[in-house]
Amino acid sequence: DAGWQVTRKADTPTDIATWKKSLPGESLDAFNGEVTVPHSMLTILAVLADVPNYPRWVFQCDSATLMPKLGPDIAYIYIDGIWPVSDRDVVLRNTIAQDPTTLAITIHSVGTPQLIPVKPGVVRMPTLDNTFIMTPLSPGKTRITFITYANPGGRIPAWLANFVAVHAPYVNLRDMAKRMNLPQYQLTRLDQLPLLLPGSNKIRLPH
């Protein structure tokens, strides 16, 4: 789409490219990252479904838990603040959808800040909108597109906001790709996923 500015160019087809874009009326930029990985969509879904291990690859994530009492699609994420910014948290509602023609799978996560009470000393993020799009290119090869916008709440120094906009999408995709090599993510069936979002039973995987 128009308006994206390159923040990191990809030197090879498997390298990570990132962009950022100003949004009308918003003080922080949206950002976007893309990489092609030698893994199936099922492996990528397995990493995304392994919520407790998000601290191992999600930028500044301290902890992540599912909240089954609130629904099968709810997760709670606690984020370490970068000095001098306070810690943040966010409650996410997650959905899954698939393009019937390309078989691309989209995981969309949206902040629902009023779902649980705010914790003392922690800033609840008023807005977080994450989209992971997995597009199959060939057997065992997938393009991942990561698009996100966050309003972290409170005051954020301009230098820090700019750093995060450039650095976070790269770190997330780099470390996510590393985890795809681990044996626990080499699944063969959808029902092996640790988290099945509503609608997962309709997903079709390429042969």
Side-chain angles (χ1 to χ4, degrees):
D1 293 337
W4 290 105
Q5 297 177 328
V6 175
T7 55
R8 188 180 191 276
K9 292 183 178 180
D11 295 325
T12 67
T14 57
D15 198 7
I16 298 170
T18 61
W19 300 262
K20 66 177 182 178
K21 179 167 67 171
S22 298
L23 299 177
E26 302 291 348
S27 58
L28 299 183
D29 294 334
F31 52 85
N32 182 353
E34 188 172 280
V35 65
T36 297
V37 296
H39 296 284
S40 68
M41 290 197 296
L42 184 56
T43 293
I44 301 166
L45 284 171
V47 175
L48 289 171
D50 187 11
V51 174
N53 275 310
Y54 279 11
R56 299 182 181 273
W57 65 272
V58 175
F59 184 75
Q60 292 299 116
C61 179
D62 177 81
S63 64
T65 57
L66 295 171
M67 307 190 76
K69 291 184 178 180
L70 296 177
D73 55 346
I74 305 297
Y76 173 81
I77 313 293
Y78 190 96
I79 300 165
D80 283 330
I82 300 174
W83 188 90
V85 173
S86 300
D87 292 352
R88 260 67 178 167
D89 69 0
V90 62
V91 185
L92 292 174
R93 185 178 297 278
N94 304 280
T95 60
I96 188 168
Q98 185 172 41
D99 185 301
T101 303
T102 66
L103 299 186
I105 296 173
T106 298
I107 302 289
H108 189 202
S109 305
V110 179
T112 53
Q114 306 302 325
L115 203 56
I116 64 173
V118 176
K119 296 183 177 181
V122 180
V123 177
R124 175 65 46 80
M125 293 178 61
T127 305
L128 180 61
D129 193 311
N130 281 347
T131 302
F132 278 97
I133 304 170
M134 292 149 274
T135 304
L137 302 179
S138 61
K141 188 177 181 180
T142 308
R143 182 174 65 245
I144 304 173
T145 303
F146 171 46
I147 307 169
T148 184
Y149 170 74
N151 178 351
R155 294 184 178 182
I156 303 291
W159 65 266
L160 180 56
N162 291 331
F163 169 78
V164 171
V166 172
H167 196 59
Y170 172 77
V171 169
N172 284 351
L173 288 173
R174 180 198 66 190
D175 293 350
M176 181 187 185
K178 290 178 181 178
R179 291 197 64 77
M180 293 174 201
N181 296 310
L182 297 178
Q184 67 254 40
Y185 301 123
Q186 312 312 311
L187 309 184
T188 57
R189 306 188 314 272
L190 272 169
D191 60 9
Q192 295 173 327
L193 290 170
L195 168 64
L196 288 172
L197 293 172
S200 294
N201 61 324
K202 299 179 181 180
I203 294 298
R204 294 163 47 219
L205 297 174
H207 297 294

